[in-house]
Amino acid sequence: IEDGVTGYLFPLGSTSELADRIKHLIEDAPRRERIVERARTSLATHFNWKRNVSVLEGLFKELVGQR
């Protein structure tokens, strides 16, 4: 998560900060829509099956080569 771009980061247990972020997103539809779109793009780019299979395949080949 890129803070303010694809979501928000805040300290664990900071319920007041979480509530504040939610309030701002409810009140600011354009900002909310930008964050949602950027998050979707980031997920599609970095966390898709084809990429994950490729990364795992490379890892397996590396591990087998170390034997």
Side-chain angles (χ1 to χ4, degrees):
I1 295 173
E2 190 176 345
D3 193 32
V5 177
T6 58
Y8 289 112
L9 300 173
F10 44 88
L12 181 64
S14 181
T15 55
S16 62
E17 194 168 342
L18 171 60
D20 186 54
R21 299 289 189 175
I22 291 171
K23 180 178 178 242
H24 285 289
L25 290 173
I26 289 170
E27 295 173 347
D28 189 347
R31 173 181 282 188
R32 180 178 65 241
E33 291 167 8
R34 281 191 308 273
I35 289 175
V36 167
E37 187 56 38
R38 290 175 184 158
R40 283 185 181 137
T41 300
S42 178
L43 283 170
T45 302
H46 300 289
F47 301 99
N48 63 59
W49 282 108
K50 189 172 185 174
R51 181 178 184 280
N52 288 342
V53 167
S54 178
V55 168
L56 285 173
E57 183 179 33
L59 177 61
F60 290 147
K61 286 179 179 179
E62 182 181 324
L63 291 172
V64 169
Q66 291 179 0
R67 287 183 173 200

